[in-house]
Amino acid sequence: MGLIVARNREELAKASGGGRLALVPTMGALHEGHRSLMRDACARANRVAVSIFVNPLQFAPNEDFSRYPRTFDDDLQVCEEEGVSVVFAPAAEDMYRHDRQVSVNSGEMGRIVEGAFRPGHFDGVLTVVLKLFHLVQPDLAVFGQKDAQQLAMIRRMVADLDLPIEIVGSPTVREPDGLALSSRNRYLSEDDRRVALTLSRALRVGAGEFTPAKIRETARAVLDEAGGALDVDYLVLADPATFLEVSETYEGPAVLAVAARVGGTRLIDNVILTLSPA
Ligand code: AMP
């Protein structure tokens, strides 16, 4: 069976089929990280749907919505190569009624860490993901660990709103030198890219320490080495389920997460580590 491309909800409804269905939501400009999510989805389901939608709701007015990379023909090729059954690529006017009123409120958790720097972002993410869940009706959905707070928020929405969908987190794919793949990496100049490497290096070096204070301090010191070329929004060591900062006596899984701007490009990255008693 070839790839079906649905450009609106009517075409999507016609593309339904049997068996276990996995959804991989994306904003397009697909790279190896997205491919890895698709492979994860293929291994867990009979059919995989990929959505390609640059969601205006999750961009603030000062963000890069209009210049976000759009590479639709290449994206279709990637989906075809990965054995995807359906690509759902609606127009914004098809997704959102012009007089829409109701949206998902991401709560307090949507306003901390990444949410503190991107007001309204997680409300926009959860609203589009809930709509995609209703339209595609998948049995499971695969999201990247790269967007760790997004993954945590989606798990929370599924739990809080009793959605009958399994959520799978898939590991971050990196360049050989450590840089996490991102559709926004294409904006980086050669110099920017060198500076951008500081993010993954800070996380790696920080994760080699054993106490929350040492982990934060060590990672921060690496970020500081980049000087003014790196504009750090946050560095946190948090509980991966709540994104609240962990205390010095915390034991269990933790996420060391960073967001920073290099040139005009905002990058995020994180690693998961386990804190054990001293
Ligand atoms: P995006 O198109 O950037 O909105 O991302 C779509 C999905 O791909 C999200 O679930 C992301 O977390 C995931 N993703 C983005 N970059 C990576 C990466 N480097 N490794 C794994 N997953 C990723």
Side-chain angles (χ1 to χ4, degrees):
M1 267 273 282
L3 176 68
I4 298 174
V5 181
R7 298 306 304 245
N8 54 49
R9 59 186 71 208
E10 289 76 27
E11 289 177 12
L12 179 68
K14 279 192 229 136
S16 65
R20 207 166 142 74
L21 176 64
L23 171 65
V24 181
T26 81
M27 298 201 299
L30 302 178
H31 51 63
E32 267 316 307
H34 298 113
R35 280 188 193 264
S36 165
L37 264 50
M38 291 176 208
R39 286 175 203 152
D40 220 337
C42 280
R44 293 162 193 267
N46 314 76
R47 299 168 71 240
V48 173
V50 170
S51 58
I52 298 178
F53 182 62
V54 185
N55 174 30
L57 246 57
Q58 69 190 68
F59 291 79
N62 62 328
E63 293 181 355
D64 59 348
F65 174 73
S66 55
R67 68 172 198 128
Y68 195 84
R70 288 163 172 88
T71 59
F72 191 62
D73 293 342
D74 291 347
D75 293 349
L76 289 187
Q77 173 96 31
V78 169
C79 292
E80 187 121 44
E81 285 168 14
E82 296 302 333
V84 168
S85 299
V86 183
V87 166
F88 179 45
E93 309 79 67
D94 192 58
M95 277 302 264
Y96 297 117
R97 297 162 54 97
H98 72 280
D99 61 347
R100 62 179 200 89
Q101 296 281 323
V102 177
S103 58
V104 180
N105 182 336
S106 57
E108 194 50 42
M109 189 175 161
R111 290 186 275 278
I112 59 172
V113 192
E114 182 75 359
F117 288 89
R118 303 189 68 186
H121 173 66
F122 286 118
D123 291 0
V125 168
L126 295 186
T127 299
V128 79
V129 169
L130 184 64
K131 284 167 71 76
L132 289 169
F133 284 177
H134 284 311
L135 290 165
V136 177
Q137 299 192 18
D139 299 284
L140 67 135
V142 184
F143 293 88
Q145 182 61 49
K146 158 82 169 27
D147 296 86
Q149 193 175 356
Q150 168 175 286
L151 174 59
M153 291 260 29
I154 286 161
R155 289 192 195 283
R156 260 324 251 272
M157 175 171 77
V158 164
D160 289 352
L161 302 183
D162 302 301
L163 306 180
I165 297 171
E166 181 193 338
I167 302 302
V168 175
S170 194
T172 302
V173 177
R174 299 176 180 282
E175 301 277 10
D177 61 8
L179 183 70
L181 295 191
S182 161
S183 303
R184 290 184 171 100
N185 287 355
R186 71 191 67 204
Y187 299 142
L188 300 172
S189 69
E190 220 171 288
D191 282 350
D192 290 344
R193 203 189 170 288
R194 253 192 304 278
V195 176
L197 263 184
T198 317
L199 270 72
S200 56
R201 197 158 58 82
L203 299 178
R204 203 167 51 243
V205 176
E209 294 292 340
F210 295 97
T211 67
K214 265 313 248 183
I215 291 168
R216 291 186 181 105
E217 184 192 319
T218 308
R220 175 65 68 173
V222 175
L223 294 176
D224 287 347
E225 285 168 23
L230 193 69
D231 192 357
V232 179
D233 278 351
Y234 61 79
L235 171 74
V236 296
L237 181 64
D239 179 332
T242 62
F243 262 75
L244 295 171
E245 293 268 11
V246 300
S247 71
E248 201 52 27
T249 54
Y250 175 89
E251 290 170 21
V255 59
L256 182 61
V258 64
R261 274 159 293 129
V262 184
T265 306
R266 189 170 183 280
L267 300 172
I268 61 171
D269 197 359
N270 71 87
V271 292
I272 297 285
L273 46 99
T274 306
L275 292 167
S276 2

